[in-house]
Amino acid sequence: MSEFDAIFVGAGHNSLACAAHLALKGWKTAVFERSATIGGAVQTHEYTVPGFRHDFGAMNLSLFAGSAFHRKYANELKTHGLEFAPVADCFASAFPDGRWFGVSNDLEKTASRLAGFSAADAATWRRLVAGFMPEAEHLFRLLGSPMSGRALAGTAWNLWRKKGFSDALDTGRLLLSSPRAWLEETFESPHVRTTLAAWGMHLDFAPDIAGGAVFPYLESMANQAFGMVLGEGGADTMIRALSGMVTAAGGKIVTGAEVAEITVAGGRATGVRLASGDFHIASKAVIASVAPRALTGKLLPDGSGDAGFDAAMKKFRYAPGTMMIHLALDELPDWRAGAELRQFAYVHLAPSLDAMSRTYQQAMAGMLPDEPVLVVGQPTAIDPSRAPKGKHILWVQVRMLPAEILGDAAGKIAPDRWDEVKQAYAERVLDIIESYAPGLRQKILGRAVFSPLDLERENPNLVGGDQICGSHHLAQNFLFRPARGYAGWNTPVANLHLTGAATWPGAGTGAASGYMLAQQLGGN
Ligand SMILES: Cc1cc2nc3c(=O)[nH]c(=O)nc-3n(C[C@H](O)[C@H](O)[C@H](O)COP(=O)(O)OP(=O)(O)OC[C@H]3O[C@@H](n4cnc5c(N)ncnc54)[C@H](O)[C@@H]3O)c2cc1C
C-alpha cells in the first residue's frame, strides 16, 4: 500500500495533463491505467504491417495545440518530445458527381474553390473569416472556462459589452442552431453546406440536431485561420510528452493496473483498490477519467450517497458508435474528383445533408447504415514518417453505427454481434471508397478493423464505440455535463472528481477538463 496526494483512475490525456500540473505543484501523484499502454483514445501502433504507424483514435491534435495547457507548458512538452506536423490543406469533401470542395489555410485557395460553386458563397466566406477572431474570442472563452451559472453570466456580460445586445443574441442563436439551419441560411451551394456539415458528424450532431452549428462553424473558420496539426510520427507524441512531464515531476504511472473500486469513508474518497487486490491511499483527491456508467454500483459499489447523482450517471446518454479501419497502402487513393485531394488531411465522403441525417437516424434505430459517413484521414500526405518511404496509411473513421445491431438498412447483412459482421461491413466501407477512388483495394498492403465493440474493449470509456464518451446534445452539455449540479468535475463524494470527455467541455484532445480541474485543485 502506498500513499499519494492524488490518485488518477485511467491514463487518458486529461488525467495526464491534470497529473502533470499537480505534480509540478508539488503533489505526490499516481496514475493507474488498466491497459498495457497509456493515452486512452490517443495512441499510435503498428496495427497492420511493421513500419506503418496508425493512430488508434484521435489524429487531429489541433485542440491540444490550441489549448490553455499547451500555452502554459509548451516548453516542457517540447523538452519531452512533443512535435506537431502542420497541415495546410485541412479538409475536403468528394462528391458523387465528381466535384470536390476543400478548405486550405490559404484564404485565396479556399475562396477560389468556393467561387467555382457560388460567387455569393465566396463573398460570405471572406466576411465570416474577417469576423472570426472577434467571434472566436467569446466562443473560446466559453469553452475554456469552468462551467457554472456564474461563468455563463460572465461570458454573456462580456459578449453584450463588446458586441451590443443584437450581435450578442446572434452569437447565442448560433450556439442553439442546428448545422442545417445555419448552413442553409449562410451558404447557397449544397456542396459547400455538405462539406462543412460533415464536422457535426465527428460528434453526434447530424444536420438537424439543435446546438450543432457551432462545430462546422468553429472547425472551418479555425482551419482557415490557423490550419490544423497532426502529431509528428503519430498522435502519441502528445502522450509521451505528457507522461514525460508527469514522471519528471516525480509522478508515478502504472499500466496494467485496473482500478476495481474507489474506496470511501465518511462520505470522502480515501483511495483505490486495484483489481490485483492492492490498496492505495489518496489524501487529497481521487480523479476518475471514466464513463459515468462505470461509477455507480461498480467503482462506487454502494453508490455515491446521492440517489439523484447515481440515477443521472446511469441514465447518461451515449452517442452512436464508430468503426475504425486502418489501411497500409502502396500509394494514396486515386481520387476521381481530382488529384489535389491527395494533399488533404481529411477527405469526407458524405453526399448530402439528407444522407447524413438518414445515416444518423439509421444508427439511432439500431440499423447498419447503407451509406455511412466516412472520414478518410491521409496522415502520411502530411507526415511521411509514419510509413516506409513512398508508402502510405489511411485512417478511416466510419460514422455513425449502432452499438447493438438490429438490422441492415441495405438489407444485405443479417443482424448479429459486431464480431461476426465487422469484416462484411468493412467491405461495404471499402466499396464506398472505391466508388470515389477506383483501384483502392489493389493498393492495400494490410488492414486492421476495429468495430464499435472493439473500441470499447480497448477503452471502456468508448461505450458502444461512442468516440465522444457521451452525447453532446444541448441537454447533456454545458451546465448539464455530465449532470446538472456536477459540471464542475465534482461528485457528491468529497475528494472524488471526474475528468475526461464525459465532463465539461467534452470530447477532444484539448486537455481542458483535466487542466481546469488541476487549476481548481492546485492553483494556477
Ligand atoms: C476513433 C476516435 C477518433 C477520434 N478523433 C479525434 C480527433 O481526431 N481529434 C480530437 O480532438 N479528438 C478525437 N477523438 C476524441 C478524443 O480522442 C477523446 O475525446 C479524448 O482522447 C478522451 O480523452 P480522456 O482524457 O477523456 O480519456 P480516454 O482517452 O478516454 O482515456 C481513458 C483511459 O482510462 C482508462 N480506464 C478506464 N477505466 C479504468 C479503470 N477502472 N482503471 C484503470 N484505467 C481505466 C482507459 O483504459 C483509458 O486508457 C477521437 C476519439 C476516437 C475514439
Side-chain angles (χ1 to χ4, degrees), residues 425-506:
Y425 200 73
E427 289 302 322
R428 178 172 301 170
V429 171
L430 294 182
D431 284 344
I432 294 173
I433 305 178
E434 282 270 353
S435 70
Y436 291 88
L440 178 83
R441 276 194 174 84
Q442 281 81 59
K443 301 178 197 290
I444 298 176
L445 304 172
R447 73 159 98 166
V449 179
F450 289 82
S451 73
L453 181 65
D454 295 328
L455 291 187
E456 184 175 340
R457 283 185 185 125
E458 294 288 321
N459 176 354
N461 293 11
L462 308 176
V463 176
D466 169 12
Q467 63 177 30
I468 50 174
C469 196
S471 172
H472 285 55
H473 292 181
L474 287 172
Q476 199 169 262
N477 210 351
F478 299 98
L479 290 167
F480 309 105
R481 192 164 191 87
R484 178 172 54 76
Y486 299 99
W489 313 290
N490 55 319
T491 72
V493 181
N495 286 5
L496 173 60
H497 305 273
L498 294 181
T499 186
T503 66
W504 172 253

Side-chain angles (χ1 to χ4, degrees), residues 300-496:
L300 294 172
D302 301 325
S304 68
D306 181 312
F309 176 81
D310 293 345
M313 295 300 97
K314 282 189 179 149
K315 284 188 210 149
F316 186 79
R317 288 174 64 79
Y318 297 91
T322 293
M323 169 182 275
M324 286 301 303
I325 303 179
H326 299 290
L327 300 177
L329 292 184
D330 211 19
E331 57 171 350
L332 284 168
D334 290 314
W335 296 106
R336 202 158 42 86
E340 218 180 319
L341 281 172
R342 281 183 159 193
Q343 297 158 209
F344 281 81
Y346 288 132
V347 178
H348 290 125
L349 303 180
S352 65
L353 298 186
D354 292 338
M356 285 185 246
S357 296
R358 196 187 63 203
T359 294
Y360 173 74
Q361 208 48 51
Q362 288 169 344
M364 290 301 284
M367 305 296 281
L368 291 169
D370 52 344
E371 190 174 7
V373 171
L374 303 186
V375 185
V376 181
Q378 305 184 120
T380 40
I382 287 89
D383 170 18
S385 76
R386 297 173 182 219
K389 200 168 172 9
K391 307 292 181 209
H392 288 276
I393 56 173
L394 278 197
W395 174 102
V396 183
Q397 193 179 40
V398 186
R399 302 284 293 147
M400 303 181 178
L401 301 172
E404 196 185 332
I405 303 165
L406 302 179
D408 177 11
K412 292 185 178 150
I413 300 176
D416 206 333
R417 282 172 48 81
W418 266 112
D419 288 345
E420 312 309 322
V421 308
K422 73 175 183 180
Q423 295 301 348
Y425 200 73
E427 289 302 322
R428 178 172 301 170
V429 171
L430 294 182
D431 284 344
I432 294 173
I433 305 178
E434 282 270 353
S435 70
Y436 291 88
L440 178 83
R441 276 194 174 84
Q442 281 81 59
K443 301 178 197 290
I444 298 176
L445 304 172
R447 73 159 98 166
V449 179
F450 289 82
S451 73
L453 181 65
D454 295 328
L455 291 187
E456 184 175 340
R457 283 185 185 125
E458 294 288 321
N459 176 354
N461 293 11
L462 308 176
V463 176
D466 169 12
Q467 63 177 30
I468 50 174
C469 196
S471 172
H472 285 55
H473 292 181
L474 287 172
Q476 199 169 262
N477 210 351
F478 299 98
L479 290 167
F480 309 105
R481 192 164 191 87
R484 178 172 54 76
Y486 299 99
W489 313 290
N490 55 319
T491 72
V493 181
N495 286 5
L496 173 60

Side-chain angles (χ1 to χ4, degrees), residues 141-405:
R141 179 186 157 129
L142 175 65
L143 295 171
S145 300
M147 185 41 62
S148 63
R150 204 173 152 186
L152 272 182
T155 305
W157 163 251
N158 194 46
L159 190 65
W160 176 74
R161 205 168 43 87
K162 290 210 167 156
K163 296 184 76 179
F165 188 61
S166 302
D167 282 2
L169 278 184
D170 283 347
T171 302
R173 186 164 177 270
L174 172 69
L175 284 167
L176 298 175
S177 293
S178 70
R180 189 192 294 267
W182 177 66
L183 290 163
E184 288 188 347
E185 71 187 29
T186 307
F187 298 103
E188 60 180 26
S189 157
H191 293 82
V192 174
R193 292 172 184 165
T194 302
T195 304
L196 304 192
W199 278 109
M201 301 294 276
H202 286 243
L203 290 100
D204 61 334
F205 287 103
D208 297 298
I209 308 287
V214 72
F215 297 100
Y217 170 74
L218 276 181
E219 277 294 344
S220 52
M221 290 297 115
N223 283 182
Q224 181 63 80
F226 314 121
M228 186 187 270
V229 300
L230 312 186
E232 178 78 34
D236 63 350
T237 179
M238 71 177 254
I239 299 301
R240 277 184 275 112
L242 284 167
S243 64
M245 282 180 68
V246 173
T247 49
K252 190 170 167 176
I253 300 175
V254 189
T255 54
E258 175 159 7
V259 173
E261 182 182 346
I262 294 165
T263 53
V264 177
R268 181 173 294 271
T270 55
V272 296
R273 176 176 61 79
L274 302 184
S276 63
D278 289 354
F279 281 91
H280 297 286
I281 296 170
S283 56
K284 294 184 182 168
V286 175
I287 297 162
S289 159
V290 298
R293 76 165 188 188
L295 279 180
T296 307
K298 293 180 180 166
L299 290 172
L300 294 172
D302 301 325
S304 68
D306 181 312
F309 176 81
D310 293 345
M313 295 300 97
K314 282 189 179 149
K315 284 188 210 149
F316 186 79
R317 288 174 64 79
Y318 297 91
T322 293
M323 169 182 275
M324 286 301 303
I325 303 179
H326 299 290
L327 300 177
L329 292 184
D330 211 19
E331 57 171 350
L332 284 168
D334 290 314
W335 296 106
R336 202 158 42 86
E340 218 180 319
L341 281 172
R342 281 183 159 193
Q343 297 158 209
F344 281 81
Y346 288 132
V347 178
H348 290 125
L349 303 180
S352 65
L353 298 186
D354 292 338
M356 285 185 246
S357 296
R358 196 187 63 203
T359 294
Y360 173 74
Q361 208 48 51
Q362 288 169 344
M364 290 301 284
M367 305 296 281
L368 291 169
D370 52 344
E371 190 174 7
V373 171
L374 303 186
V375 185
V376 181
Q378 305 184 120
T380 40
I382 287 89
D383 170 18
S385 76
R386 297 173 182 219
K389 200 168 172 9
K391 307 292 181 209
H392 288 276
I393 56 173
L394 278 197
W395 174 102
V396 183
Q397 193 179 40
V398 186
R399 302 284 293 147
M400 303 181 178
L401 301 172
E404 196 185 332
I405 303 165

Side-chain angles (χ1 to χ4, degrees), residues 77-94:
L77 288 161
K78 184 103 184 137
T79 304
H80 290 286
L82 179 68
E83 288 290 347
F84 293 125
V87 179
D89 298 308
C90 303
F91 67 95
S93 282

